[in-house]
Amino acid sequence: MAEKIFKKKVELPELFYDLVFAYAISQTTDLLYHFKGNLASVAEAFIIFSVVMVVFINTWMIKSVFINRYGKNSIADIILFMIDVAILLYMSNAFKGNIQDWFQPFAIATGLLSTVLVVQYGTVYLTSKKSADKRISRLMMTITAARTVLVFIGAFLPIKFGIPVALIGIAISWVLPGLFGSILKLHALNFPHILERLTLLTIITFGETIVGIASYFTVETFNFYSILIFTIVGALFMTYITQMDHYIDENRSDETGIRLIYVHYFILFGISLVTVSLEFIGESHIPKNFAILSLYLGLSLFYLGLFLTSPYNKKQLNSDKQVIVFFTISTIIGLLVSLMFNQFSVVVITTALIAVINSIVYVRYMIIKTRL
């Protein structure tokens, strides 16, 4: 049996930071309400939503990777956490009205968050005595500095030029770490720690989903379909914790965690789309087919993200192709049935059945494989 690796403790300031991030992600879903019913408006809302989600998630990821490698829960770390939280709270409430109104303050706040990280990596570079840490901190300081400079430049350019420039800065910090895995592996991540951080952030995001569906649980609105809507969320949550708690082998060393980090973009995007869609399907002024497509896109991204974590699974729990095919077929059937009979009752019943059946299949597969 492999020697159990040291598990770095998730500190309380990290959890506080995660709570604010989950709030930021929940606020981002409000951007999907800013469309006027035509296709161009819907496309624009989805693009803006996607970009803002990437900004928030990418910011969380690069900060969490730093804490995983170099965080010490010192007074300095806690103070910087508090500064980040204050900036995030401002960012979370910045995008009100048209993008022309909020792009500049949002970009400036994003640049300030990046500046904090540049300072932290710079400190590691100056104080570290290990060559591996100097290489990693220099690389990440360069990446985050490029992100910072381009985002700040974009903030002060005319918006038609500023947005592309700022997006290039975000793309740099989103893509480049994945291209330098050989350097980042010189100081591997503490895999149990990053797994726990990602899991906790996702669970808190599920909590925001519960808040989103709370309108179905008032004295005036509560009925049978309220229970089914909760069942959808509960089944997705069960599927997620089955994968993260039981399928994945956390006793891994020499990991960059890059795949685990990137696939959580799909998972968090998926949960956010499910959250807003479960609200949409109960509102008469939202086109039903739009709500259905959003819901099943969210489910698909969520399931895709889970299956993409399979390289981290325990050997006996490598994802079976039959399970993946089953999830694919069941989700497509749910989408087609919901589109054909696009009534609120049919959509809720069908989606609840699909989510529950998929969850049962996933749990059953785990039980069967672990008994062999």
Side-chain angles (χ1 to χ4, degrees):
M1 180 180 292
E3 183 181 352
K4 190 174 180 63
I5 66 172
F6 164 73
K7 180 178 179 180
K8 183 174 182 176
K9 180 183 177 182
V10 175
E11 304 290 351
L12 294 179
E14 296 174 75
L15 300 179
F16 184 53
Y17 185 67
D18 292 351
L19 282 171
V20 179
F21 250 102
Y23 171 73
I25 292 174
S26 71
Q27 290 293 96
T28 305
T29 59
D30 288 347
L31 292 168
L32 290 177
Y33 286 94
H34 299 163
F35 65 90
K36 301 177 177 63
N38 57 71
L39 184 60
S41 178
V42 170
E44 180 183 356
F46 261 95
I47 291 171
I48 295 174
F49 162 76
S50 300
V51 170
V52 174
M53 279 287 289
V54 168
V55 171
F56 276 128
I57 297 173
N58 177 251
T59 300
W60 186 92
M61 297 296 183
I62 58 178
K63 178 75 171 186
S64 297
V65 167
F66 173 84
I67 295 300
N68 184 282
R69 281 196 178 96
Y70 304 118
K72 299 177 181 177
N73 199 37
S74 62
I75 295 296
D77 280 349
I78 294 172
I79 290 173
L80 290 174
F81 263 131
M82 295 302 105
I83 292 172
D84 285 343
V85 165
I87 297 171
L88 277 168
L89 280 174
Y90 175 79
M91 289 174 66
S92 302
N93 295 289
F95 32 84
K96 305 295 182 184
N98 296 322
I99 189 170
Q100 291 84 358
D101 300 325
W102 57 261
F103 170 72
Q104 185 181 70
F106 184 82
I108 291 173
T110 303
L112 290 174
L113 281 176
S114 295
T115 302
V116 172
L117 203 54
V118 172
V119 171
Q120 289 183 295
Y121 272 116
T123 302
V124 172
Y125 178 76
L126 293 173
T127 59
S128 178
K129 297 180 180 179
K130 295 181 179 179
S131 60
D133 289 328
K134 281 192 174 293
R135 289 185 67 185
I136 291 172
S137 58
R138 182 173 60 240
L139 170 66
M140 294 306 298
M141 181 173 60
T142 303
I143 291 173
T144 51
R147 179 187 200 256
T148 303
V149 171
L150 289 172
V151 169
F152 274 136
I153 291 173
F156 293 98
L157 288 175
I159 193 165
K160 65 179 180 179
F161 302 114
I163 290 177
V165 170
L167 289 182
I168 292 172
I170 298 301
I172 284 173
S173 62
W174 186 22
V175 176
L176 286 189
L179 302 180
F180 290 95
S182 59
I183 294 177
L184 298 177
K185 208 167 186 177
L186 295 173
H187 183 155
L189 289 184
N190 185 279
F191 189 77
H193 177 270
I194 196 65
L195 175 63
E196 185 176 1
R197 286 295 310 282
L198 287 164
T199 302
L200 289 172
L201 177 65
T202 306
I203 290 172
I204 294 170
T205 305
F206 269 115
E208 295 295 335
T209 305
I210 296 297
V211 173
I213 65 172
S215 59
Y216 292 107
F217 284 81
T218 66
V219 174
E220 296 79 16
T221 61
F222 182 78
N223 55 34
F224 172 68
Y225 298 108
S226 304
I227 298 172
L228 291 182
I229 287 172
F230 179 81
T231 300
I232 294 170
V233 180
L236 295 179
F237 177 76
M238 179 63 70
T239 308
Y240 180 80
I241 62 172
T242 298
Q243 171 63 22
M244 298 300 154
D245 272 0
H246 301 285
Y247 275 69
I248 288 183
D249 177 14
E250 71 168 17
N251 189 31
R252 305 177 69 93
S253 57
D254 298 324
E255 288 285 354
T256 63
I258 288 173
R259 173 186 284 265
L260 187 66
I261 289 168
Y262 280 139
V263 301
H264 269 80
Y265 282 88
F266 293 107
I267 292 170
L268 293 169
F269 262 89
I271 296 171
S272 295
L273 282 174
V274 168
T275 300
V276 73
S277 301
L278 290 176
E279 295 180 58
F280 279 169
I281 60 175
E283 298 182 10
S284 58
H285 66 282
I286 303 292
K288 280 293 183 291
N289 284 348
F290 170 70
I292 292 167
L293 289 170
S294 298
L295 175 60
Y296 278 86
L297 175 60
L299 290 175
S300 300
L301 289 173
F302 176 79
Y303 289 140
L304 175 62
L306 289 186
F307 287 126
L308 287 175
T309 65
S310 61
Y312 298 112
N313 286 1
K314 298 170 185 174
K315 290 182 179 179
Q316 72 271 31
L317 288 173
N318 287 331
S319 290
D320 191 296
K321 290 182 179 179
Q322 291 180 340
V323 174
I324 297 174
V325 169
F326 181 88
F327 269 62
T328 303
I329 293 174
S330 66
T331 305
I332 291 173
I333 290 173
L335 171 62
L336 295 177
V337 171
S338 297
L339 288 174
M340 288 174 61
F341 308 96
N342 63 349
Q343 298 176 356
F344 174 80
S345 58
V346 175
V347 174
V348 172
I349 292 171
T350 302
T351 307
L353 283 173
I354 297 301
V356 169
I357 291 171
N358 284 347
S359 182
I360 291 172
V361 167
Y362 213 51
V363 173
R364 183 174 180 272
Y365 177 78
M366 177 199 67
I367 293 172
I368 291 172
K369 286 294 184 179
T370 51
R371 284 179 177 175
L372 294 179

